[in-house]
């Protein structure tokens, strides 16, 4: 007996579509089909597997506007962002389509024979996706996994299944066999849990909260199951007095309020050198008030709504009547889960506004004195995902980059995700790396074979 879930448009609160939820039994059946599909998929000639992935990429490209509109409706992403997200799936598929023909092993010199290594697929890979970036995060898992010869079962977040379901249709149209890539909408506690527990799933790729990530890791440990975790962040945007202050202030809102702050890479702490702290806040205010918040489907919109009523309530709970709010941007009235860009000036480093991942459009601005001070404040968190450093001193940019304990740093910019380069977290922000030239290795096992040449 399967139940259904009503997908809600977060900008209007209207029901978009009702989606059937996959049960535990249906999940087990899908995993069994993925296991059965494995021998044929791994036997597809490397050049043919590459061609299928390129066809899948082309199908995504041909459907880009439809996918983007679907994400605007399901997730409230701005149309500009949603187009980038669909384009990212296309690009990641193209990038890893080069992998099947380059899965090189090694010939290692040994006495008495020949020794070679093979990069074998793991088997069935389970990908668990959060609601904040439904398309890209799915692609970072399934593209390299399929390229390496694995079959994939993918669970989108319950709130945001629509683009993942469309991607599964596009895969089929491109000629990827049905049971090689299956999308199973459903609950984390049902479908996701089966990925962790089922012995037939050989690896879990999880993106989501640190809290659930710890449970996934513990569940996988019980079966020595491979696991990749991409978790939360409380990332610092460090602005030194010698920086291009106008540019640092003008871009800071987009470093944190993009996707309404629902981004594990959001720079939700701005650390500003004390000598320019007041000046920076003066420049920041018009930039924050200038963020265009509204209908995510409109071309000029820069920030849409939060994902759900429940999430809006959680974000709002961080702001009490006595919270030191410096200034706020705007948000529409009426239906939709709206929250304005908000800048706060917490007094204590222990304030939850400084320590907790709010996952909404709220940023804390704090002063620091010295370079060492900036690094210490940036590292005063359990997380370590991303961050930015604004300075005109190249030596300082490199010293601070080496000092900050985070996986993805950006100097005089706010870039975290670029599919050519590795992405992932230090400390409690995660385990393993996605994207970049080495990601396919995380979807293979090294097999060593020795062949005797003795008579
Ligand atoms: P979440 O609650 O951890 O859920 C993430 C995914 O895991 C969803 O698909 C969810 O399913 C599933 N899940 C929940 N409980 C599970 C369980 N017991 N077993 C297996 N799967 C389970 O996170 P969220 O609320 O969707 O997303 C927000 C969080 O994700 C933030 O903390 C953010 O920092 C983090 N995040 C990190 C990254 C990164 O790359 N580091 C990227 C994006 C988001 P349901 O659909 O049932 O909830
Ligand atoms: Mg959740």
């Amino acid at each position: 007996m399967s139940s259904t879930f009503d997908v809600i448009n977060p900008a209007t609160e209207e029901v978009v579509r009702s989606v059937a939820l996959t049960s535990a039994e249906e999940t087990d059946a899908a995993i069994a089909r993925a296991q059965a599909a494995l021998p044929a998929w791994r036997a597809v000639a490397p050049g043919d597997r590459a061609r299928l992935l390129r066809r899948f990429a082309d199908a995504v490209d041909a459907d880009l506007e439809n996918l983007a509109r679907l994400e605007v409706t399901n997730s409230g992403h701005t149309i500009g962002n949603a187009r980038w997200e669909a384009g990212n799936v296309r690009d990641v598929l193209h990038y890893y389509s080069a992998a099947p023909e380059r899965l090189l092993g090694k010939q290692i010199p040994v006495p008495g024979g020949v020794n070679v290594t093979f990069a074998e697929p793991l088997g069935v890979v389970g990908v668990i996706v959060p609601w904040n970036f439904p398309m890209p995060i799915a692609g970072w898992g399934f593209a390299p996994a399929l390229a390496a010869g694995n079959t994939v079962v993918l669970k989108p977040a319950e709130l945001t299944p629509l683009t993942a379901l469309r991607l599964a249709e596009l895969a089929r149209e491109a000629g990827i066999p049905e049971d090689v890539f299956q999308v199973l909408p459903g609950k984390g506690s049902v479908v996701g849990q089966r990925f962790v527990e089922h012995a037939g799933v050989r690896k879990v790729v999880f993106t989501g909260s640190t809290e659930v990530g710890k449970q996934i890791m513990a569940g996988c440990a019980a079966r020595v199951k491979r696991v990749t975790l991409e978790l939360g962040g409380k990332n610092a945007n460090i602005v030194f007095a010698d920086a291009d202050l106008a540019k640092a202030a003008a871009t800071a809102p987009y470093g944190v309020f993009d996707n309404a702050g629902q981004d594990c890479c959001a720079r939700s702490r701005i650390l500003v050198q004390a000598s320019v702290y007041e000046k920076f806040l003066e420049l920041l205010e018009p930039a924050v008030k200038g963020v265009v918040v509204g209908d995510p489907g409109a071309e000029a919109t820069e920030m849409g709504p939060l994902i759900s009523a429940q999430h809006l309530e959680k974000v709002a709970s961080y702001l009490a009547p006595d919270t030191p709010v410096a200034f706020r941007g705007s948000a529409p009235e009426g239906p939709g889960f709206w929250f304005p860009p908000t800048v706060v000036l917490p007094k204590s480093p222990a304030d939850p506004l400084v320590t907790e991942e709010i996952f909404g459009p709220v940023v804390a601005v704090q002063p620091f004195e010295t370079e060492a001070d900036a690094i210490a404040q940036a590292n005063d968190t359990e997380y370590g995902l991303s961050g930015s450093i604004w300075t005109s001193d190249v030596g300082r940019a490199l010293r601070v980059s080496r000092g900050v304990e985070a996986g993805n740093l950006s100097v005089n910019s706010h870039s975290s995700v670029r599919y050519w380069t590795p992405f992932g977290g230090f400390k409690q922000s995660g385990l393993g790396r996605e994207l970049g030239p080495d990601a396919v290795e995380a979807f293979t096992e090294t097999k060593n074979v020795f062949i005797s040449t003795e008579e």
Side-chain angles (χ1 to χ4, degrees):
M1 191 194 76
S2 54
S3 53
T4 61
F5 178 81
D6 286 342
V7 173
I8 306 286
N9 180 332
T12 63
E13 302 184 37
E14 285 161 7
V15 175
V16 180
R17 196 195 297 173
S18 186
V19 172
L21 296 174
T22 310
S23 68
E25 295 70 28
E26 289 163 340
T27 304
D28 286 358
I31 293 168
R33 290 196 300 274
Q35 285 179 293
L38 190 73
W41 179 242
R42 65 175 292 191
V44 171
D48 291 336
R49 200 152 71 225
R51 219 180 328 278
L52 283 169
L53 292 173
R54 286 195 291 269
R55 278 196 202 138
F56 187 4
D58 290 342
V60 171
D61 191 52
D63 200 54
L64 193 138
E65 189 64 21
N66 176 49
L67 283 164
R69 291 285 165 195
L70 211 50
E71 203 65 275
V72 171
T73 308
N74 189 164
S75 307
H77 290 196
T78 63
I79 182 65
N81 277 11
R83 286 186 187 122
W84 180 90
E85 291 159 18
N88 181 260
V89 176
R90 171 201 59 208
D91 294 345
V92 168
L93 277 165
H94 270 307
Y95 185 72
Y96 290 112
S97 73
E101 294 168 294
R102 292 167 178 79
L103 268 181
L104 308 179
K106 284 183 178 144
Q107 182 275 115
I108 301 171
V110 291
V114 173
N115 194 100
V116 289
T117 66
F118 295 91
E120 303 284 19
L122 299 171
V124 179
V125 172
V127 182
I128 301 175
V129 181
W131 47 257
N132 65 332
F133 287 110
M135 280 191 278
I137 292 172
W140 307 346
F142 70 66
L146 293 172
N150 302 281
T151 56
V152 172
V153 285
L154 183 143
K155 192 201 91 65
E158 193 177 4
L159 296 174
T160 57
L162 298 188
T163 48
L165 288 166
R166 179 65 188 144
L167 287 169
E169 290 172 4
L170 293 169
R172 210 110 310 132
E173 286 171 19
I176 307 269
E178 188 166 356
D179 296 334
V180 166
F181 174 48
Q182 300 176 73
V183 170
L184 311 174
K187 288 186 185 299
S189 57
V190 178
V191 181
Q193 186 70 22
R194 286 309 292 156
F195 290 2
V196 173
E197 286 172 350
H198 196 298
V201 176
R202 295 293 171 78
K203 173 165 184 161
V204 173
V205 178
F206 173 83
T207 304
S209 61
T210 297
E211 186 192 352
V212 176
K214 287 176 184 174
Q215 295 169 30
I216 303 271
M217 191 174 175
C220 288
R223 292 147 196 92
V224 198
K225 191 173 285 196
R226 278 72 180 136
V227 63
T228 302
L229 304 172
E230 298 285 0
L231 310 174
K234 188 70 186 177
N235 312 293
N237 174 9
I238 308 173
V239 182
F240 286 95
D242 65 14
D244 178 341
L245 220 53
K247 193 170 175 194
T251 57
Y254 302 96
V256 57
F257 301 141
D258 191 64
N259 206 32
Q262 303 166 121
D263 180 348
C264 46
C265 292
R267 276 68 167 167
S268 54
R269 294 185 291 152
I270 306 179
L271 309 180
V272 186
Q273 200 150 24
S275 58
V276 294
Y277 181 79
E278 293 302 333
K279 175 77 184 153
F280 181 84
L281 282 175
E282 271 170 37
L283 292 167
L284 185 64
E285 183 165 359
V288 168
K289 292 188 168 159
V291 175
V292 182
V293 184
D295 174 8
E299 296 288 336
T301 300
E302 294 176 322
M303 193 183 112
L306 293 169
I307 189 68
S308 66
Q310 197 190 358
H311 190 55
L312 172 61
E313 197 181 316
K314 185 196 149 193
V315 172
S317 76
Y318 281 94
L319 293 173
D322 61 343
T323 300
V325 173
F327 39 84
R328 309 186 83 168
S330 63
E333 305 279 325
F337 310 123
W338 303 98
F339 196 86
T342 302
V343 178
V344 295
L345 307 175
K347 297 283 179 289
S348 156
D351 191 315
L353 291 163
V354 179
T355 60
E356 290 183 22
E357 181 183 51
I358 299 170
F359 226 56
V362 181
V363 66
V365 188
Q366 297 173 285
F368 69 85
E369 296 293 337
T370 64
E371 190 178 305
D373 210 17
I375 294 171
Q377 282 191 47
N379 289 340
D380 188 15
T381 167
E382 291 169 350
Y383 295 114
L385 189 56
S386 75
S388 300
I389 297 146
W390 289 79
T391 175
S392 56
D393 178 336
V394 176
R396 165 172 282 161
L398 284 168
R399 283 193 304 276
V400 177
S401 295
R402 299 302 299 271
V404 174
E405 297 167 328
N408 299 83
L409 294 169
S410 184
V411 174
N412 295 330
S413 52
H414 297 296
S415 153
S416 294
V417 170
R418 317 179 90 229
Y419 64 85
W420 309 273
T421 54
F423 175 74
F426 279 35
K427 302 191 314 195
Q428 293 193 31
S429 283
L431 186 73
R433 292 292 179 273
E434 299 190 286
L435 299 175
D438 304 326
V440 171
E441 282 172 28
F443 294 98
T444 66
E445 293 280 13
T446 300
K447 181 181 286 169
N448 193 64
V449 178
F450 170 75
I451 307 152
S452 171
T453 52
E454 277 168 15
E455 294 190 49

